Amino acid sequence: ILNVEQSPQSLHVQEGDSTNFTCSFPSSNFYALHWYRWETAKSPEALFVMTLNGDEKKKGRISATLNTKEGYSYLYIKGSQPEDSATYLCASSGSARQLTFGSGTQLTVLP
Amino acid sequence: EAQVTQNPRYLITVTGKKLTVTCSQNMNHEYMSWYRQDPGLGLRQIYYSMNVEVTDKGDVPEGYKVSRKEKRNFPLILESPSPNQTSLYFCASSLIRVDTGELFFGEGSRLTVL
């Protein structure tokens, strides 16, 4: 079982602040790193799938970077809005078959 | 609309009463998987299937069974549910594999076993 860790577990930011979270994963036998956004009472939705060391992906105000050699990924949110409030999950795969999730970072954006 | 559909969404049952949670996807995805989500823990994989008639255990398979007789359906079977299987369950699918494609999740099934 892969050990995927996310930090912080939760955080509160003011509207307009920029923030970032960390996902750490085993760097050996790496296949892919996923980020998902999970709003309360909904199902998780994919943000990014990243496979290459040095990958950077962006979707609107949200971006992510990947370092496979040291085993970490950062998710950045620029100018947080209340609608960004959600739990952000990362998941790592050490094969084509399985994805192991971290326990998530719960973000609350205060108006 | 492309989607993963789970049923039931909510269920309260008693220990030992067999139940099945259905999962169906309309995207012609080859890969399907079941996860359970418990407070303080990440999504943990129960079983997965790479294609029809191909299923494998995930990280927490004890007490569960699955089948993949058709590409679109991947039911989760609890032969004799116990209270420690009280959880939120998600079915998910991906086009081919999880190293290249994102997962599409169903809306979740909240199960309570008394």
Side-chain angles (χ1 to χ4, degrees):
Chain A
I1 300 177
L2 294 180
N3 187 26
V4 179
E5 296 187 351
Q6 292 188 245
S7 62
Q9 195 170 11
S10 67
L11 78 161
H12 293 72
V13 301
Q14 290 295 137
E15 182 175 356
D17 287 351
S18 294
T19 187
N20 65 84
F21 329 129
T22 304
C23 174
S24 62
F25 54 88
S27 56
S28 59
N29 214 34
F30 172 83
Y31 274 63
L33 192 285
H34 296 217
W35 281 101
Y36 291 84
R37 182 170 179 272
W38 187 9
E39 290 183 73
T40 303
K42 295 188 178 180
S43 51
E45 291 185 349
L47 289 170
F48 307 112
V49 177
M50 308 167 77
T51 57
L52 299 175
N53 185 46
D55 248 357
E56 291 189 30
K57 296 211 171 181
K58 188 176 181 181
K59 186 181 288 189
R61 293 179 291 99
I62 304 177
S63 60
T65 60
L66 179 66
N67 183 322
T68 62
K69 294 186 177 181
E70 296 181 45
Y72 65 84
S73 175
Y74 294 134
L75 188 79
Y76 300 92
I77 302 178
K78 185 177 179 181
S80 303
Q81 300 297 308
E83 57 264 32
D84 295 330
S85 296
T87 297
Y88 291 84
L89 301 171
C90 79
S92 178
S93 68
S95 74
R97 296 168 166 261
Q98 291 188 265
L99 203 57
T100 300
F101 283 83
S103 54
T105 292
Q106 187 173 11
L107 173 66
T108 303
V109 181
L110 304 169
Chain B
E1 181 189 354
Q3 59 186 4
V4 179
T5 304
Q6 297 178 226
N7 280 295
R9 296 284 316 281
Y10 302 91
L11 179 64
I12 300 174
T13 190
V14 295
T15 299
K17 186 176 181 182
K18 180 180 178 179
L19 69 92
T20 299
V21 186
T22 64
C23 175
S24 180
Q25 50 91 6
N26 62 0
M27 296 171 279
N28 202 35
H29 284 176
E30 293 186 2
Y31 182 94
M32 296 186 76
S33 183
W34 277 102
Y35 293 88
R36 62 178 287 173
Q37 201 278 324
D38 302 292
L41 300 175
L43 291 165
R44 293 182 293 166
Q45 191 176 47
I46 303 170
Y47 269 93
Y48 65 95
S49 170
M50 298 294 288
N51 213 324
V52 176
E53 301 292 0
V54 180
T55 62
D56 279 298
K57 295 178 180 179
D59 297 324
V60 288
E62 295 77 22
Y64 305 96
K65 291 173 70 174
V66 293
S67 68
R68 188 92 181 273
K69 296 176 182 174
E70 305 164 285
K71 197 171 190 178
R72 63 184 294 128
N73 295 323
F74 190 44
L76 179 70
I77 304 157
L78 286 73
E79 293 271 1
S80 183
S82 62
N84 64 12
Q85 293 179 298
T86 293
S87 188
L88 176 61
Y89 291 87
F90 284 103
C91 178
S93 71
S94 183
L95 182 60
I96 299 175
R97 303 156 24 158
V98 291
D99 60 330
T100 52
E102 65 192 83
L103 282 173
F104 292 82
F105 284 86
E107 293 182 307
S109 297
R110 187 166 292 281
L111 171 65
T112 301
V113 183
L114 302 175

